[in-house]
């Protein structure tokens, strides 16, 4: 189980998302960030739905242009994790 899931656009916010993960990991359960934890893209939305306490959307100009980010946010909203 992950305390948080950081949804971000890599080109715009990879370093910022990594820093946020480092800060969160000091104070709570492990934080999911795709570059560390994603092994199978087919299970991404199921992970958001069943294994995440809250989704943090790191919004930049590009975040909502990415289908995977939109799917992560929608899944979290529908399951009450956002």
């Amino acid at each position: 189980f992950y305390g948080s899931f950081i949804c971000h656009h890599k080109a715009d916010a990879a370093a910022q998302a990594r820093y946020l993960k480092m800060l969160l990991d000091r104070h709570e359960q492990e934080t999911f960030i795709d570059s560390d934890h994603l092994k199978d893209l087919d299970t991404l939305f199921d992970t958001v739905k069943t294994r995440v306490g809250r989704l943090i959307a790191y919004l930049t100009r590009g975040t909502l242009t990415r289908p995977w980010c939109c799917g992560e946010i929608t899944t979290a909203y529908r399951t009450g994790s956002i």
Side-chain angles (χ1 to χ4, degrees), residues 1-2 5 32 42-55 71-82:
F1 189 82
Y2 300 98
F5 180 106
F32 185 103
D42 291 336
T43 63
L44 178 63
F45 298 141
D46 188 55
T47 298
V48 172
K49 185 172 24 173
T50 63
R51 300 186 60 210
V52 172
R54 86 178 138 263
L55 181 127
E72 293 162 1
I73 293 168
T74 300
T75 301
Y77 179 77
R78 287 185 173 178
T79 59
S81 300
I82 197 168

Side-chain angles (χ1 to χ4, degrees), residues 2-70:
Y2 300 98
S4 298
F5 180 106
I6 301 174
C7 171
H8 66 290
H9 180 246
K10 283 185 192 62
D12 291 344
Q16 296 91 331
R18 169 70 54 197
Y19 182 64
L20 179 59
K21 178 191 180 335
M22 290 168 52
L23 293 174
L24 290 170
D25 282 349
R26 290 183 190 171
H27 302 290
E28 64 176 39
Q29 289 177 310
E30 190 171 13
T31 302
F32 185 103
I33 191 168
D34 56 3
S35 56
D36 292 350
H37 299 101
L38 185 61
K39 295 179 182 12
D40 182 4
L41 199 55
D42 291 336
T43 63
L44 178 63
F45 298 141
D46 188 55
T47 298
V48 172
K49 185 172 24 173
T50 63
R51 300 186 60 210
V52 172
R54 86 178 138 263
L55 181 127
I56 299 169
Y58 197 103
L59 295 176
T60 59
R61 282 183 287 180
T63 306
L64 297 178
T65 67
R66 308 302 303 161
W68 291 109
C69 292
C70 292

